Amino acid sequence: MNELTLYERIGGDAALRQLTDKFYDLVFAHELISRLFRSDKELIKEKQRLFLTQFLGGPQLYSDVYGHPMMRARHMPHTITEDDAVAWLQCMSEAVGQLPISNELKDELFDRFPRTAFFMVNT
Ligand code: HEM
């Protein structure tokens, strides 16, 4: 049994800052999904860092500021297809790949995303 959360094991806040920096660089430059991201890059990066902190077992930072995550509802204003989810996951896979952690831990971290990403598909 593992006593540390995944958040702690990947390196906590420093790791999530590195992950979200890389991830949104890829997303904002992506030929398919950049169309969806029209607002402030720094703000979405910050929201994602707060959300992933709690999603991976760390403190409830996102909920403290923005309330109940309701992620599917928050994605409803955006037209998200299966292809968008695949592209989002490719960006996440590449960003996870650059973290200074073991391959085993990278796989464990990445495995947290596919189910949630396909749950956001709404078109
Ligand atoms: C299926 C692929 C996905 C697409 C195409 C997508 C797209 C978007 C878009 C367009 C926004 C609004 C950004 C803005 O304000 O400019 C957003 C917000 C957000 N997304 Fe996603 N998303 C996806 C999956 C996910 C997943 C899997 C997670 C979490 C693991 C996630 C977490 C968030 C968070 C935390 C926000 C900020 C919500 C807020 O406004 O407080 N998204 N996403």
Side-chain angles (χ1 to χ4, degrees), residues 4-112:
L4 293 176
T5 63
L6 188 50
Y7 169 76
E8 290 165 310
R9 286 186 289 128
I10 64 168
D13 192 57
L16 285 186
R17 284 177 193 272
Q18 182 180 335
L19 181 69
T20 51
D21 273 351
K22 180 66 193 175
F23 176 67
Y24 284 106
D25 281 351
L26 294 168
V27 163
F28 275 72
H30 196 282
E31 58 174 358
L32 179 63
I33 57 173
S34 59
R35 75 178 197 286
L36 294 165
F37 293 83
R38 298 260 170 243
S39 65
D40 181 6
K41 189 179 182 184
E42 291 310 311
L43 180 61
I44 172 74
K45 213 188 268 186
E46 164 84 0
K47 286 178 165 183
Q48 186 67 271
R49 180 176 62 81
L50 299 181
F51 178 76
L52 291 181
T53 299
Q54 69 188 58
F55 184 68
L56 300 175
Q60 303 289 300
L61 301 182
Y62 181 90
S63 296
D64 285 352
V65 182
Y66 297 106
H68 192 287
M70 304 182 302
M71 272 305 145
R72 192 160 197 278
R74 289 189 204 261
H75 284 75
M76 274 304 190
H78 311 284
T79 299
I80 300 177
T81 65
E82 254 176 50
D83 285 349
D84 294 329
V86 169
W88 189 103
L89 288 165
Q90 280 165 348
C91 294
M92 185 54 79
S93 170
E94 191 172 338
V96 166
Q98 297 198 0
L99 289 176
I101 57 178
S102 69
N103 286 338
E104 198 178 41
L105 200 47
K106 285 176 187 177
D107 289 346
E108 186 179 343
L109 174 58
F110 180 73
D111 281 353
R112 297 296 314 272

